[in-house]
Amino acid sequence: MTENTQQQTAPTTELPTQYAPAEVEGPLYERWVERGYFEADAKSEKPPYTIVIPPPNVTGSLHLGHAFEHTLIDALTRRKRMQGYETLWQPGMDHAGIATQNVVERELAKEGKSRHDLGREAFVERVWQWKAESGGQISGQMKRLGDGVAWSRERFTMDEGLSQAVQTIFKKLYDDELIYRAERIINWCPRCLTAISDIEVEYQDDDGELVSIRYGEGEDSLVVATTRAETMLGDTAVAVHPDDERYKHLVGKRIKLPLTDRTIPVVADTHVDPEFGTGAVKVTPAHDPNDFEIGRRHDLPNLAVMDERAVITAHGPFQGLDRLEARSAIVAALRAEGRIVAEKRPYTHSVGHCSRCKTTIEPRLSMQWWVKVGPLAKAAGDAVRDGKVTIHPQEMEKRYFDWVDNLHDWCISRQLWWGHRIPVWYGPNGEVVCVGPDEQPPAGEGWHQDTDVLDTWFSSGLWPFSTLGWPERTESLEKFYPNSVLLTGYDILFFWVARMMMFGLYAMDGTPPFHTIALHGMVRDQNGKKMSKSFGNVVNPLDWMDAYGSDAVRFTLARGANPGVDVPIGEEWVQASSKFANKIWNATRFALMNGATVEGELPDPSEMSATDRWILSRLNKTVAEVDAFYDDYQFSKLSDALYHFAWDEVFDWYVELSKTTFFAGGDGARVSGRVLGEVLDVMLRLLHPVVPFVTETLWTTLTGGESVVIADWPKDSGFRDAAAEQEIALVQRVVTEVRRFRKEQGLQDAQKVPARLELDGTALAPHEPAIRQILRLQPEGEGFSATASLPVAGATVALDLSGTIDVEAERKRLTKDLAAAEKEKAQANGKLGNEAFLAKAPDNVVEKIRTRLAKADEDIARIQAQLANLPQV
């Protein structure tokens, strides 16, 4: 535990009777920002702690996944700030090339216009106008959640400084021959009219058709199968395995391609699996990545038969048809010629779709810009293998290595207008000039800039250092790079994390962008199902914040966060967290009204009761547990530890056990009041990173301190008292056992019962007033009759139930229950003693009967004990 070093004012015990999050949260957050608590000073001598926000799209709004991730990052940074670190949580947004262009194009369509009606320059200006008016609503929503980001440092991936960083690294990569331009097969979206990377393709099972087609004539024929019959117009070969005896006589020959006037060769290639299908595959190098590689090996021509909108361009009757229209028409024409050998529909197979607009992707041969990732990916892999970067949880390392060790060159050009334009100029005589940020582009007749822009992930891959001023060696870059940790979802391990690793190591002289990669899972609904608009289970976190407060949403999300594991969440769990926030409020309010204080030194343990020493011992153990869980990114466990300490140990046990002390007054009340103040002070500071609003209000009221945001993080003082913990454990056993007995007898919690407590000679004796208070046990008076006696923890609690229950009615009820339990036992024994039954019954059925027998035995023992404890009348 630490002594609070902030300037303090006299604390007040005045708190409203109820906690109203809507009245508290907004003003508190504004105060935090106004006072600059979240800003980071590059000149500070404090050790740095840096985390970047995974930049949300400028088109976006706060969804539950954002709220989840931001809660965890905010908890980490708030704790580090309290621990004395110069803490930077870097905010900002991504320009989101395809997504943003789509949004603005839809707005134009409402006006009956397209981007081509405006022209490039005017369209880009329109996007900037949209961003100023409508983009970035997520910033206000982040404030609602309580994100402690350094707002003065907010960046945008298209702002001037980051644009300079993009141009600088492009030029550096180009000069190092790590960027090149080449014609390759890419993923093409006919709707967005741009190339997209492999990781922007979403695969799903679609119902299509598998058609088997005979190529060639007579003995010089073979059968190929395809789900994309329209691409046969671009076939330039048929491939077979070189060891396939069925086709050796055809290798090297040419066969007729149906529906065309062309012949194509049969080539032998080891890529072909002779066991799959007919062992022969059609080769369309301009429309399939595997076929493209076969074509390169065999010097086959690349024949493109579709345009950018996936419309057939090949001469003939199919020209001008959409790819799907052409597919049906071509199959019909082949059927008419007797070329269809077999048809299977529906044929379910995995099909790639654009992650932005869900259009089916078309592999397409295209001239594009590429990053040669080999050396960059090797460095990114080695940084983890060599221990420079730690991936948490460790089992996620395999996924990381599977990706970076098998990366293909990265297509970075996009056929869009919104984004960082590729800084390459072409001259009238075939000149190609890459221009750096401080260089003037070539001018004169015939010179023009490349029309493509860069993949969004190219600029966001620079985020950990471009936001700090790179390529300039700024004070912020020197202070806050590398980042301490990257906390992000495992779903963008490949999209974003690998890009940052490659670029950070390359641009920053081998220094990785962060020390630790902490991966979390995805938020799902309460049944573990993916949240989707089509499923109708998408939740707007703002609705829950309005209903229950931001702290309740944050605590629910943190409590479900196990490293790398998906997080189910339902509204009833948020309701439970809201009750927890209210419990903290009400219990602290009660404590303040009954003497809890932080004034003065903490009394010496010799002045304290066992109850006081017990709670301080438990407090320090909780501090140690929470620290260990934070350092291991175990948000669920630290939240659980805090929940059970606060609700169970502080409020349900310590406060209840101490009520008699407080009511009695004197030195005991003074000591316990100071102990309770200490416990609340530390507990509220421990809770603050996860539930910042309610803890700020309560902590400043309790201590008079300026803000818990800048309070010291608690430290484990090392205080432990095993004897006190054992003593209070005995008290808890007595209370729990008597409570259980009262419930079995049908007594109400508030119902008072005469009782004699035989505690002499045990550690329980000093706690008799508290035990009686908690259990509503009256002193034994005249006519006391011990109708029930409970031996527990070396003591005896004798109860007089004669005036509290209808003994005869209770005996009849219990006797009936006992008969039912004995019948259940007899039936189970009968089946288990039947050898014929055991020989035939499945193992799970036999196990169920054994479980029923064990349950019947437990019920019989319990009911017999209850009957024995009934008063004799």
Side-chain angles (χ1 to χ4, degrees), residues 519-698:
L519 299 171
H520 61 71
M522 304 296 101
V523 176
R524 297 183 178 271
D525 72 12
Q526 61 195 41
N527 300 313
K529 193 173 184 179
K530 180 181 178 181
M531 287 192 175
S532 165
K533 290 180 181 178
S534 61
F535 295 152
N537 61 353
V538 172
V539 173
N540 182 349
L542 295 176
D543 293 340
W544 282 352
M545 289 184 211
D546 290 341
Y548 307 109
S550 297
D551 283 335
V553 174
R554 289 171 61 113
F555 192 74
T556 304
L557 292 165
R559 203 172 179 193
N562 289 300
V565 178
D566 289 347
V567 182
I569 184 171
E571 186 168 5
E572 63 268 32
W573 301 337
V574 185
Q575 292 172 344
S577 295
S578 175
K579 290 178 181 176
F580 178 53
N582 286 321
K583 180 74 171 180
I584 299 170
W585 181 275
N586 293 332
T588 304
R589 184 171 176 272
F590 170 85
L592 287 169
M593 291 190 298
N594 286 276
T597 180
V598 296
E599 295 180 358
E601 294 293 323
L602 196 64
D604 189 85
S606 63
E607 299 180 59
M608 298 178 187
S609 68
T611 308
D612 294 332
R613 297 195 305 276
W614 164 75
I615 197 62
L616 289 176
S617 184
R618 290 298 307 135
L619 175 67
N620 279 282
K621 284 185 177 180
T622 301
V623 171
E625 284 179 358
V626 169
D627 274 333
F629 289 142
Y630 261 117
D631 292 341
D632 200 34
Y633 305 100
Q634 298 278 2
F635 295 97
S636 176
K637 291 182 179 179
L638 72 88
S639 299
D640 258 352
L642 288 169
Y643 175 90
H644 289 296
F645 175 73
W647 194 309
D648 299 346
E649 297 186 306
V650 178
F651 303 144
D652 280 359
W653 283 110
Y654 181 74
V655 170
E656 292 300 318
L657 289 170
S658 301
K659 279 182 179 178
T660 52
T661 302
F662 287 130
F663 297 161
D667 283 344
R670 176 187 60 79
V671 170
S672 291
R674 181 63 186 89
V675 169
L676 181 53
E678 179 77 6
V679 170
L680 291 176
D681 172 17
V682 173
M683 183 193 77
L684 291 170
R685 283 186 277 153
L686 288 174
L687 280 164
H688 173 73
V690 181
V691 284
F693 295 108
V694 67
T695 52
E696 171 79 342
T697 306
L698 295 175

Side-chain angles (χ1 to χ4, degrees), residues 492-511:
I492 57 172
L493 181 61
F494 316 131
F495 286 83
W496 189 46
V497 179
R499 311 299 191 208
M500 288 190 290
M501 284 286 284
M502 290 191 294
F503 281 164
L505 289 159
Y506 174 74
M508 298 300 293
D509 303 319
T511 301

Side-chain angles (χ1 to χ4, degrees), residues 705-719:
E706 180 184 336
S707 172
V708 71
V709 176
I710 53 172
D712 293 334
W713 180 252
K715 292 180 181 178
D716 176 8
S717 70
F719 178 80

